[in-house]
Amino acid sequence: MPTDISTPTDIADLSLDAARPDRPAWGAVLSMSLGVFALVTAEFLPASLLTPLAEGLQISKGAAGQAVTATAFVALITSLLISTLARGLDRRIVLMGLSMLLIVSNLIVAAAPGLATLLLGRILMGVALGGFWSLSVATVMRLVPENAIPRALAIMFMGVSAATVLAVPVGSYLGALVGWRGVFLAATGLGVLALLVQFLTLPALPAQGNGRPGILLEVLRRPGMGIGMIAVLLVFAGHFTFFTYIRPFLENVTGVGVEGVTAILFAFGLANFAGTYLIAYVIERSLWLALLLMPLVMAALALLLTSFGGAAPLDAGMIALWGLVFAGVPVAWSTWITRTIPDQAEAGGSLIVAAINFAIASGAGLGGVALEIFGPRGVFLISGLILAAATAIILTRIRAR
């Protein structure tokens, strides 16, 4: 019996399948991974250089910290607007333009004489970060055949994991050697390398989908998208409630010093890097199972740490396991987007980036209140409850194609 393919989404699926390459362009995928590595490294640098940055510009640490706030806020706005603003433009040109913006941003920060120039550089950084992230998932799915998408996304997100592991400790180390301005110049060099590799490997990528104003609301109204974005928000909010306040837990509950905290967080980062590689194999077998198990395991870990935390080896092991499991979250949800709305993957990527940035703000804010009222164990308890709610929604409401 012939299959009915008369619906618009099915027709879009066919056109997208026809546009996908027969062979994966792994060089181009690696260029995307290098691009996000350069972006996320630059995003994290102010956190590792906050004290010398503030002293060098003769401003308070609180004022210097606004560089992080400005980047996140602008990234959120850019993620919602990039598909409309770049409508009709070849995505190769747009991505390379955003990489050039990253380079300019780092140069401005490296030469900043004061707070105003610092914030200007970080605002440009926010545009580059939000724009590149929003387009990245849709770009990767056009570089490889459909069956290779999970692995390609995992390779791209390895750039994030690598930045998570290296940016803060390496930034602090280099800052002591060459000063904070020298570190941003080094980040500029990394951006130049990413741009060069993109120039050499990215093929022409004519605009696809519909970038008209209002498309995000239209996509949200599609079956399953609204509840999916709620699940995304809860999973990431649960994680950032946990991770933002992990240091007070390790210091006050586990009872380790600065060296212990550093070692545990480094182990978290290494496990996160490994998890980014392993998740592709799980997704290839069952995307829905991957979506379900990750918040379930994280919720269990949060509740175990709340109830039994206090022994350094046990806590370190559970936190490393958290890093391993969480690594798969952005990969799995990005894959869900490519399968749920393949004809509007850019709009879906924008919604994911916006949800993550909102989750960072809300998770950190909620965790801060909980820390003041209930202490570190209370923060982890709330994180576990949020993740349990996400698990329930995924179990009952989310379906994966």
Side-chain angles (χ1 to χ4, degrees):
M1 186 174 186
T3 304
D4 181 8
I5 57 169
S6 60
T7 64
T9 301
D10 289 333
I11 294 172
D13 288 348
L14 290 178
S15 63
L16 286 169
D17 289 340
R20 289 195 183 104
D22 294 328
R23 296 181 179 179
W26 292 119
V29 173
L30 287 173
S31 80
M32 295 296 294
S33 182
L34 184 58
V36 297
F37 175 68
L39 282 161
V40 175
T41 296
E43 180 187 14
F44 287 164
L45 283 182
S48 63
L49 300 169
L50 197 63
T51 298
L53 184 65
E55 292 174 351
L57 297 179
Q58 296 184 332
I59 58 179
S60 68
K61 293 180 183 178
Q66 296 309 309
V68 178
T69 304
T71 301
F73 178 76
V74 174
L76 171 61
I77 300 301
T78 304
S79 69
L80 296 174
L81 298 177
I82 186 65
S83 292
T84 299
L85 295 176
R87 180 173 49 180
L89 296 178
D90 188 305
R91 286 335 189 215
R92 179 178 187 268
I93 302 301
V94 176
L95 291 167
M96 290 175 59
L98 292 168
S99 294
M100 291 180 65
L101 199 59
L102 167 66
I103 295 168
V104 173
S105 163
N106 285 328
L107 287 174
I108 290 174
V109 173
L115 179 61
T117 311
L118 171 67
L119 291 178
L120 172 62
R122 298 304 291 182
I123 286 170
L124 296 179
M125 170 66 201
V127 175
L129 181 69
F132 199 99
W133 264 124
S134 297
L135 300 177
S136 61
V137 172
T139 299
V140 167
M141 70 180 288
R142 296 174 63 184
L143 296 174
V144 298
E146 185 174 6
N147 62 353
I149 288 176
R151 189 163 300 178
L153 288 172
I155 290 172
M156 186 184 73
F157 280 104
M158 281 182 182
V160 183
S161 297
T164 303
V165 175
L166 297 175
V168 173
V170 173
S172 297
Y173 177 74
L174 288 180
L177 292 179
V178 300
W180 66 269
R181 295 184 190 274
V183 175
F184 277 99
L185 285 176
T188 301
L190 184 58
V192 170
L193 176 62
L195 176 62
L196 177 61
V197 176
Q198 289 160 19
F199 175 78
L200 294 174
T201 61
L202 280 178
L205 296 166
Q208 289 183 345
N210 193 326
R212 67 179 183 277
I215 188 61
L216 295 183
L217 292 177
E218 292 181 21
V219 170
L220 269 177
R221 286 196 290 265
R222 290 195 183 184
M225 278 301 298
I227 195 66
M229 287 302 100
I230 291 174
V232 169
L233 179 60
L234 289 174
V235 173
F236 279 95
H239 168 72
F240 285 108
T241 301
F242 166 90
F243 192 69
T244 304
Y245 301 98
I246 193 171
R247 181 162 182 165
F249 183 92
L250 292 174
E251 291 175 336
N252 300 323
V253 177
T254 308
V256 297
V258 174
E259 292 182 357
V261 171
T262 302
I264 290 172
L265 291 181
F266 187 70
F268 173 95
L270 289 177
N272 188 263
F273 186 82
T276 307
Y277 177 78
L278 295 174
I279 188 61
Y281 296 97
V282 181
I283 292 173
E284 287 170 358
R285 286 155 180 79
S286 174
L287 173 59
W288 182 81
L289 189 61
L291 293 174
L292 178 67
L293 287 180
M294 288 182 294
L296 177 62
V297 173
M298 290 158 62
L301 290 170
L303 297 176
L304 285 171
L305 284 164
T306 300
S307 303
F308 304 107
L314 180 63
D315 292 359
M318 287 194 284
I319 289 171
L321 180 57
W322 184 296
L324 181 76
V325 173
F326 176 73
V329 170
V331 181
W333 282 106
S334 296
T335 304
W336 180 81
I337 285 289
T338 67
R339 297 184 184 180
T340 303
I341 48 169
D343 59 316
Q344 290 294 344
E346 282 189 8
S350 295
L351 291 171
I352 286 277
V353 172
I356 291 172
N357 278 279
F358 185 78
I360 292 173
S362 58
L366 179 62
V369 173
L371 183 67
E372 293 295 326
I373 298 174
F374 304 112
R377 290 186 188 271
V379 175
F380 281 23
L381 174 61
I382 290 176
S383 170
L385 294 176
I386 293 172
L387 290 162
T391 303
I393 289 175
I394 296 167
L395 179 64
T396 58
R397 301 292 303 277
I398 301 298
R399 295 291 178 267
R401 285 181 56 190

